[in-house]
Amino acid sequence: NIYKEDAVTKLFSEIKSIEEQGSGVKRCRLLEVYVHGYLQSFKYFHGHTDLLRRAFSPPVGSKAKADAWLKKLRTRLEDRSPGTKWYLVGVQVRRGDKVNNPSFA
């Protein structure tokens, strides 16, 4: 890896300072960060758990819609087979990366 712990810590602190500028109002709604490499160690993210959870949390409206949909689905499943333990699994297929690439035709 080409990323040193201090560089990642600096990046996260810069993001946090942008969020905290002003009187509690976020100055930016979208922040694009490009990270290249294989960040396969938890050490890169140590001490930044709360920031990462907030960064990857869905917007409140989207979460509410998803929660309502899941509740409806669970109700239907429970009605169909009372007492059965259901495990819901989500899978994302990134078709957009492949659809215009002739190598995957």
Side-chain angles (χ1 to χ4, degrees):
N1 277 327
I2 60 171
Y3 298 103
K4 298 196 182 292
E5 184 175 345
D6 58 334
V8 175
T9 299
K10 181 181 177 204
L11 173 65
F12 284 132
S13 66
E14 288 173 1
I15 293 169
K16 188 173 184 178
S17 71
I18 291 170
E19 286 183 336
E20 293 175 348
Q21 288 176 358
S23 59
V25 177
K26 289 188 178 182
R27 291 184 41 139
C28 63
R29 295 192 62 114
L30 174 65
L31 179 65
E32 290 187 29
V33 177
Y34 293 95
V35 180
H36 183 268
Y38 300 96
L39 300 175
Q40 297 176 351
S41 173
F42 70 94
K43 293 176 185 177
Y44 290 107
F45 308 106
H46 181 73
H48 303 288
T49 304
D50 292 335
L51 178 63
L52 288 167
R53 288 189 195 281
R54 281 185 284 142
F56 289 104
S57 293
V60 175
S62 297
K63 182 166 180 357
K65 286 180 185 178
D67 287 342
W69 183 84
L70 287 169
K71 184 178 179 180
K72 188 175 176 181
L73 175 62
R74 285 188 177 104
T75 300
R76 283 194 319 225
L77 291 170
E78 179 63 25
D79 290 345
R80 178 185 299 169
S81 183
T84 299
K85 178 74 174 170
W86 294 94
Y87 293 95
L88 305 178
V89 178
V91 177
Q92 176 186 7
V93 178
R94 295 187 54 173
R95 182 177 177 267
D97 294 346
K98 314 288 189 262
V99 72
N100 294 319
N101 187 331
S103 298
F104 295 99

